[in-house]
Amino acid sequence: MKTYYVNDTAQKNGDHEVHTDECPYFKSITSKTRLGVFSNCKDAVDRSKKIYPNSDGCAYCCPECHKR
């Protein structure tokens, strides 16, 4: 189980990335919303989409949920 957060600042393409608190980029995110503890990134991204419909998993900490 990991704790997931969504970056409140959208990327240039409009996506809000979902990260774990273990992500190498986590500390550089200045505004984030805690999504909760999940056993997989898919559930975390699904929760994030209720806040930000254009949500995506981080390519580094959630590669299986990152859009290609």
Side-chain angles (χ1 to χ4, degrees), residues 3-33:
T3 304
Y4 289 85
Y5 294 79
V6 61
N7 188 339
D8 295 322
T9 304
Q11 295 182 302
K12 291 179 184 178
N13 67 1
D15 284 348
H16 290 265
E17 282 200 327
V18 173
H19 299 267
T20 69
D21 58 358
E22 299 169 356
C23 182
Y25 294 101
F26 182 76
K27 289 183 181 180
S28 67
I29 302 169
T30 57
S31 180
K32 54 191 165 272
T33 299

Side-chain angles (χ1 to χ4, degrees), residues 46-66:
D46 287 347
R47 171 77 54 88
S48 180
K49 286 183 177 186
K50 292 179 180 178
I51 303 166
Y52 300 114
N54 293 335
S55 293
D56 185 20
C58 170
Y60 296 95
C61 65
C62 304
E64 61 275 16
C65 293
H66 180 71

Side-chain angles (χ1 to χ4, degrees), residues 32-52:
K32 54 191 165 272
T33 299
R34 185 180 188 274
L35 298 171
V37 178
F38 299 93
S39 61
N40 62 74
C41 66
K42 182 186 179 314
D43 291 341
V45 171
D46 287 347
R47 171 77 54 88
S48 180
K49 286 183 177 186
K50 292 179 180 178
I51 303 166
Y52 300 114

